[in-house]
């Protein structure tokens, strides 16, 4: 009696594994793109944004009032070249009444201005700012800050100064924060 069963060569097993992996990847991408919520953003003024989230479908609603500014780009522009970062964090290891963790500290970034601009854009993912004190300096001299806003679609903190930064000069932005960290869900 002979052995009965289904046999595959090594090359066919490798091809089968690659095909299954590609199918799973394609399925995951399609699910992510179809079920992805879209955010229609309206900038009411420079300090507030309004985001209405809708499930995307085959007929999506175009954004009628698109905000303008460098914060709408998917990536941060190359207007500022970071030179160094200093971060001092003091966490509180117990949840507050809202079920969130607090931390306090100072974050400072020294950067070179590559393009004259009034905007400084930093990533700020999953942070909820409850208090913020921002100092912008150029060669040790304070530069007045005009406004600050959070642009939720790209998770950017946008700081606007009164004056354009001077090209090729070093600047420091120092942010003293007391903020809540959203627990992973």
């Amino acid at each position: 009696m002979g052995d009965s069963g289904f046999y595959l060569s090594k090359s066919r097993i490798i091809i089968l594994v690659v095909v299954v992996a590609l199918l799973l990847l394609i399925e995951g991408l399609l699910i992510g793109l179809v079920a992805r919520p879209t955010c229609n953003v309206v900038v009411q003024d420079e300090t507030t944004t309004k985001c209405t989230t809708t499930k995307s479908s085959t007929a999506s609603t175009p954004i009628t009032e698109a905000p303008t500014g460098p914060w709408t780009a998917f990536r941060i522009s190359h207007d500022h070249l970071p030179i160094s970062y200093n971060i001092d964090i003091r966490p509180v290891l117990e949840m507050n009444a809202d079920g969130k963790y607090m931390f306090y500290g100072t974050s400072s970034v020294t950067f070179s201005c590559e393009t004259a601009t009034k905007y400084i854009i930093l990533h700020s993912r999953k942070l909820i700012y409850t208090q913020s004190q921002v100092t912008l300096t150029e060669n040790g001299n304070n530069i007045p800050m005009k406004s600050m806003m959070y642009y939720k679609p790209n998770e950017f903190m946008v700081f606007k100064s009164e004056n354009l930064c001077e090209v090729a000069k070093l600047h420091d932005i120092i942010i003293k924060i007391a903020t809540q960290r959203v627990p992973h869900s």
Side-chain angles (χ1 to χ4, degrees):
M1 284 201 211
D3 291 331
S4 62
F6 185 71
Y7 295 101
L8 293 175
S9 66
K10 286 183 182 180
S11 61
R12 288 189 178 178
I13 291 175
I14 291 172
I15 290 171
L16 181 65
V17 168
V18 169
V19 168
V20 169
L22 284 174
L23 288 173
L24 289 173
L25 178 68
I26 291 169
E27 179 185 6
L29 288 173
L30 287 174
I31 289 172
L33 291 174
V34 170
R36 183 174 156 183
T38 58
C39 182
N40 300 326
V41 178
V42 178
V43 175
Q44 296 169 341
D45 59 32
E46 288 186 309
T47 58
T48 60
T49 58
K50 180 181 177 186
C51 179
T52 57
T53 305
T54 58
K55 283 281 191 189
S56 62
S57 62
T58 54
S60 65
T61 306
I63 298 173
T64 55
E65 296 179 18
T68 58
W71 55 87
T72 59
F74 181 69
R75 296 190 183 271
I76 292 180
S77 68
H78 297 284
D79 294 339
H80 304 97
L81 178 66
I83 306 294
S84 67
Y85 298 90
N86 267 333
I87 299 173
D88 172 35
I89 297 175
R90 295 177 304 263
V92 177
L93 299 176
E94 295 178 8
M95 281 188 180
N96 64 10
D98 297 333
K100 297 181 178 129
Y101 294 100
M102 293 291 295
F103 67 87
Y104 304 90
T106 304
S107 171
S108 68
V109 180
T110 301
F111 58 90
S112 172
C113 185
E114 301 295 311
T115 307
T117 182
K118 290 184 177 186
Y119 298 103
I120 300 166
I121 302 171
L122 302 174
H123 281 285
S124 181
R125 185 165 193 235
K126 292 191 178 181
L127 292 176
I128 302 167
Y129 290 92
T130 54
Q131 174 190 2
S132 192
Q133 222 176 6
V134 180
T135 306
L136 179 64
T137 63
E138 179 180 84
N139 295 331
N141 301 321
N142 281 348
I143 298 174
M145 293 298 289
K146 186 173 184 177
S147 64
M148 107 181 187
M149 73 169 199
Y150 181 69
Y151 185 67
K152 190 172 183 171
N154 292 346
E155 298 175 331
F156 292 160
M157 269 314 281
V158 180
F159 303 97
K160 184 177 181 182
S161 67
E162 290 284 337
N163 309 322
L164 291 171
C165 68
E166 291 188 41
V167 176
K169 289 201 175 182
L170 291 181
H171 296 75
D172 292 305
I173 185 165
I174 302 166
I175 306 168
K176 294 180 182 177
I177 51 176
T179 189
Q180 297 177 348
R181 173 70 169 97
V182 178
H184 291 289
S185 51

